[in-house]
Amino acid sequence: MANTAAELARRKARHEDGIGSRSNVVPFKQQDFEQLRRDCLQSGSLFCDPTFPAGWNSLGYNQLGRYSSKTIGVEWKRPTELCSDPQFIIDGANRTDICQGALGDCWLLAAIASLTLDPQILNRVVPPGQSFTSHYAGIFHFQLWQYGEWVDVVVDDRLPTRDGKLLFVHSAEGAEFWSALLEKAYAKVNSSYEALTGGSSIEGFEDFTGGIAESYDLKEAPPFLFNLMRKALKLGSLLGCSIDISSSCETEAITSQKLVKGHAYSITGAEQVHHFGSTVELVRIRNPWGQVEWTGAWSDNSKEWDRVQPEEKRKLDHSAEDGEFWMSYTDFLRQFSRLEICNLTPDTLTSNRVHRWNYSEFEGMWRVGSTGGGCRNYPATFCSNPQFLIRLEDVDDDPEDGEDGCTVLIGLMQKDARKEREFGRDLNTIGFDIYDVPDQVKGLTNVHLGPDVLLKRTSVARSRTFINLREVCDRFKLPPGEYVIIPSTFEPHRKGSFVLRVFTEKQALASPMEEEVDADISEPEVRHDDVDPHFKRLFLRISGNDSAISAFELQQILDKVITQRSDVKTDGFSLQTCRNIISLLDTDGNGTLGLLEFHALWMKIQRYLEIFKSHDLDSSGTMSSHEMRAALAEAGFQVNSSVVQEIVSRYADETYAIDFDCYIGCLIRLEMLFKMFRTLDKKNQGLIQLDLQQVKPSEPPFRLLLSY
């Protein structure tokens, strides 16, 4: 269990220290930008990144692999080799700095273009003060959000070129390199440039802001979408919209009313005005080109504004030649195809004028045989999935749909999807269910809801679909109460890591639901008078002249007894298991079992056998690893998912089944560990410090350690 304990300790320490937050970013690949640049300046050399070298592996693995025709003639060159006066950023970042090259990452470039609309967020992703003159050492850095933490990514400025021109993203002028270097940093965190092929701009939005993004098909817009947009703007969210194209030839085609197809717009306002005595809903939209604007109703200087009071006009600042324009909400739904809302975490916002979401974030894993339980369609394994509690107490202010309740935005993201492509691994199909917490466990987090609860009730909400995307995100309106969120893959026995994020408008408690590791093991006191005479005669016959059973003799006895049973499967008890049994029950320290000790063992095995059979639901003679948690609980052991995973990796076979001898070996080992811990925890504090110099070899704790 050492690896599991180390990982849990690492997560706890990082959380307590705020590591990975906006204010305490993690150096990616443990590379410290300032130190590396300082070393290069002192040595007079230009930085060459050993973790993302200028070679074939950094380009790709298939279409951009070493033997691909697309990489013939590629050379890695620094900007100083491509032009006489390279610049990092010239007169601020804008969309002309982002021209697509020979890589299918237009989704990423659209997200990079959105950065140019918000200087505050741009300066966080692209730290200012970098240049090819002052303190130039061939090294640059960028800050990206990656699966729950902010990382500072260092790159050298060697860029892939062909015929003296950048192969991938480049600026229109050819002398500005911030976008090319940012693309390289993004390729680095995803293992290669080829890994960036294909995607959604939502992914880029999230990795540049740490926010959580929603997408709405405007042809199926919910009736309260306008109010939702207004509230999102008040919460500091980034809103974007676009017009779908039917073919590549329509890209950036301009309609008769001066809207650009296949183009990313940002939404900067949503207001109501009075017109002819009625209220009209308006949306303010910005074209990053800065010139081409909507010419329909409510555009700059259109006749609709003549019937609006001057003070309302001034409030809305309706006329401006900067690519920003108003249009009615009804025209917005008619003209545009898709709305995307990127809701920002509280630490992303610096303005005190906006409200903030309440935000919780959790890491988790689906492991084959233990926590990879699949969706509700698989009742035998579903309850094994990780579980997370959310407690909602206060209803929203000014609900957008007019109904009281608590808004919850839940995003389930699977990790490292792009890195896995190189190995032919596809995205898992993922989703989640939400259940109402039963009254008997409300207020508790040290529980894990089992089949007796979850399979007897229906979920109160769920993700709209299970889908093989990086993230599934949905918005819910729930009444105050306690709920458990169960993220899962669609099918069981799939492995993967995930991040679960929960946004609420009001303060809400959220935490993992996981049992505390504990044991309640009853050991009945056995006296000579309690032992049946027949059992005494049996013991004397099998123990021999010394009236004691050694580990070797115990192995023979157990194997002979169990192989005669047809209702359990076994490949024989190991000698180590038998030694563990003797260490656990050997009260006088002679390394063997006497009559009373053997009698205690026999009763223990009989009890464990009954539990085994009751949880062998298919009468296969083995126990599914997913049934092990409930069996352990009945035997008196309360374990969490980490311990279950360790048990599965140690005792389950290739089909994740546990036979009887492994089952007994597991229970004995658990008893030993708890006994050892409680012996050493003399003050009953739940904490021990073990020094081998303080433990004499003759003492029981040391004997248990040797057995372990």
Side-chain angles (χ1 to χ4, degrees), residues 327-606:
M327 69 189 311
S328 70
Y329 175 65
T330 53
D331 277 337
F332 169 73
L333 295 179
R334 190 180 299 118
Q335 297 291 335
F336 285 88
S337 309
R338 185 157 300 279
L339 168 69
E340 293 175 343
I341 302 176
C342 186
N343 303 282
L344 304 182
T345 56
D347 63 341
T348 305
L349 301 166
T350 58
S351 173
N352 293 322
R353 293 179 298 173
V354 298
H355 300 286
R356 284 171 166 77
W357 288 95
N358 182 66
Y359 170 70
S360 298
E361 177 182 284
F362 307 100
E363 291 182 79
M365 297 189 74
W366 296 298
R367 294 180 180 271
V368 180
S370 57
T371 57
C375 71
R376 177 64 186 264
N377 294 354
Y378 301 90
T381 55
F382 173 68
C383 302
S384 302
N385 286 300
Q387 301 177 5
F388 300 88
L389 172 76
I390 178 170
R391 184 178 300 140
L392 305 173
E393 296 179 347
D394 301 320
V395 299
D396 301 341
D397 297 328
D398 187 26
E400 66 272 1
D401 56 3
E403 297 182 7
D404 287 338
C406 308
T407 294
V408 185
L409 195 58
I410 298 174
L412 173 63
M413 178 183 293
Q414 48 189 324
K415 298 174 68 173
D416 300 324
R418 294 187 177 275
K419 290 181 181 179
E420 297 293 311
R421 286 183 179 179
E422 181 178 353
F423 308 104
R425 298 172 188 145
D426 295 328
L427 287 166
N428 283 319
T429 300
I430 61 172
F432 55 85
D433 291 86
I434 305 174
Y435 285 82
D436 190 20
V437 173
D439 292 339
Q440 61 267 31
V441 295
K442 281 185 176 177
L444 303 177
T445 59
N446 60 338
V447 294
H448 187 92
L449 301 184
D452 56 326
V453 174
L454 296 179
L455 300 185
K456 293 181 179 179
R457 54 180 60 206
T458 58
S459 60
V460 297
R462 59 172 63 92
S463 54
R464 279 173 291 181
T465 183
F466 276 74
I467 192 168
N468 58 337
L469 293 177
R470 181 175 90 147
E471 184 174 44
V472 173
C473 178
D474 281 301
R475 179 184 289 255
F476 304 95
K477 179 69 72 70
L478 299 172
E482 290 189 21
Y483 302 90
V484 57
I485 305 168
I486 303 180
S488 71
T489 57
F490 182 78
E491 296 178 332
H493 315 305
R494 308 284 291 186
K495 69 175 182 178
S497 301
F498 65 85
V499 174
L500 180 72
R501 298 187 289 166
V502 181
F503 283 64
T504 56
E505 286 198 14
K506 290 297 188 72
Q507 191 73 24
L509 180 144
S511 65
M513 291 187 72
E514 191 62 271
E515 290 128 318
E516 297 175 353
V517 178
D518 200 1
D520 181 14
I521 308 165
S522 58
E523 294 286 358
E525 184 179 351
V526 181
R527 296 172 298 182
H528 278 278
D529 294 343
D530 298 327
V531 181
D532 181 85
H534 175 72
F535 187 88
K536 289 182 181 179
R537 289 193 295 271
L538 175 65
F539 173 79
L540 291 174
R541 187 171 73 246
I542 62 179
S543 63
N545 295 331
D546 59 356
S547 297
I549 296 177
S550 68
F552 300 97
E553 292 170 324
L554 180 61
Q555 183 183 34
Q556 295 173 353
I557 294 167
L558 293 178
D559 283 347
K560 183 176 181 180
V561 171
I562 295 302
T563 52
Q564 293 176 355
R565 300 188 66 103
S566 60
D567 53 350
V568 295
K569 289 185 178 180
T570 177
D571 57 3
F573 282 81
S574 71
L575 185 60
Q576 183 59 49
T577 295
C578 295
R579 285 172 172 157
N580 288 346
I581 291 173
I582 289 178
S583 292
L584 178 67
L585 299 174
D586 177 18
T587 56
D588 52 16
N590 61 9
T592 61
L593 297 182
L595 172 63
L596 298 184
E597 295 162 339
F598 186 69
H599 189 270
L601 169 63
W602 200 252
M603 290 192 297
K604 187 184 294 291
I605 289 180
Q606 290 295 321

Side-chain angles (χ1 to χ4, degrees), residues 215-416:
S215 182
Y216 292 90
D217 182 348
L218 295 179
K219 305 307 177 192
E220 301 175 356
F224 53 85
L225 183 60
F226 179 78
N227 290 335
L228 190 152
M229 292 167 64
R230 293 184 72 183
K231 179 168 281 191
L233 289 165
K234 291 179 181 178
L235 288 165
S237 303
L238 303 179
L239 279 68
C241 57
S242 60
I243 302 171
D244 289 346
I245 58 174
S246 56
S247 65
S248 59
C249 64
E250 286 189 318
T251 303
E252 296 195 345
I254 301 175
T255 69
S256 60
Q257 293 180 303
K258 302 296 184 181
L259 294 177
V260 186
K261 293 185 176 181
H263 180 59
Y265 288 84
S266 60
I267 297 173
T268 60
E271 301 290 346
Q272 294 177 329
V273 297
H274 296 91
H275 185 256
F276 282 110
S278 61
T279 300
V280 179
E281 295 172 335
L282 299 180
V283 178
R284 187 174 64 208
I285 301 172
R286 182 184 177 191
N287 180 356
W289 284 1
Q291 295 177 342
V292 182
E293 292 189 18
W294 161 253
T295 59
W298 296 99
S299 61
D300 292 356
N301 301 317
S302 67
K303 59 182 175 53
E304 285 79 12
W305 290 103
D306 296 339
R307 294 287 183 171
V308 177
Q309 293 297 319
E311 58 270 20
E312 281 195 289
K313 287 186 182 181
R314 287 192 296 271
K315 177 184 176 184
L316 300 181
D317 189 21
H318 81 280
S319 180
E321 298 298 330
D322 57 0
E324 199 168 49
F325 56 86
W326 291 95
M327 69 189 311
S328 70
Y329 175 65
T330 53
D331 277 337
F332 169 73
L333 295 179
R334 190 180 299 118
Q335 297 291 335
F336 285 88
S337 309
R338 185 157 300 279
L339 168 69
E340 293 175 343
I341 302 176
C342 186
N343 303 282
L344 304 182
T345 56
D347 63 341
T348 305
L349 301 166
T350 58
S351 173
N352 293 322
R353 293 179 298 173
V354 298
H355 300 286
R356 284 171 166 77
W357 288 95
N358 182 66
Y359 170 70
S360 298
E361 177 182 284
F362 307 100
E363 291 182 79
M365 297 189 74
W366 296 298
R367 294 180 180 271
V368 180
S370 57
T371 57
C375 71
R376 177 64 186 264
N377 294 354
Y378 301 90
T381 55
F382 173 68
C383 302
S384 302
N385 286 300
Q387 301 177 5
F388 300 88
L389 172 76
I390 178 170
R391 184 178 300 140
L392 305 173
E393 296 179 347
D394 301 320
V395 299
D396 301 341
D397 297 328
D398 187 26
E400 66 272 1
D401 56 3
E403 297 182 7
D404 287 338
C406 308
T407 294
V408 185
L409 195 58
I410 298 174
L412 173 63
M413 178 183 293
Q414 48 189 324
K415 298 174 68 173
D416 300 324

